[in-house]
Amino acid sequence: MGKRIIVHERDHPYAVKLGDLAGFKNLTTDEKLLKYEVHICACGLSKNKPFCDGSHAKTHGEESDHVYTYDKEHSRSEVYEGYKE
Ligand code: FES
């Protein structure tokens, strides 16, 4: 099986309230459940995907025009400078 490099630019998770999900309001009227918030990983480093596990803290300090890779222990290496979309 091949390997893929995927660019993630976000350094914090998406916060999603269950009550905001399409169709969820039709399943329950429990007010607490509708307000329950989950955090979805957007940095790509979580070991508990799709949920955030706080690993995004390792991305803080990245420079916007640089590209980095992270190993399994989340050690950062810079691989490219001058990145533009
Ligand atoms: S956003 Fe990826 S671990 Fe938090």
Side-chain angles (χ1 to χ4, degrees), residues 5-47:
I5 295 176
I6 300 169
V7 175
H8 294 267
E9 295 182 340
R10 196 170 161 105
D11 67 355
H12 56 283
Y14 295 105
V16 178
K17 285 193 178 128
L18 295 183
D20 293 340
L21 298 176
F24 200 88
K25 287 180 180 160
N26 297 332
L27 300 176
T28 181
T29 56
D30 186 319
E31 199 48 32
K32 276 200 249 176
L33 194 56
L34 289 175
K35 290 181 178 174
Y36 184 74
E37 192 171 278
V38 294
H39 295 97
I40 305 298
C41 177
C43 76
L45 296 179
S46 175
K47 292 183 177 176

Side-chain angles (χ1 to χ4, degrees), residues 35-72:
K35 290 181 178 174
Y36 184 74
E37 192 171 278
V38 294
H39 295 97
I40 305 298
C41 177
C43 76
L45 296 179
S46 175
K47 292 183 177 176
N48 189 33
K49 288 186 189 81
F51 303 105
C52 170
D53 69 357
S55 296
H56 60 268
K58 298 284 186 175
T59 68
H60 295 170
E62 291 179 345
E63 296 188 51
S64 62
D65 64 340
H66 293 226
V67 177
Y68 304 91
T69 61
Y70 290 84
D71 64 19
K72 289 181 179 171

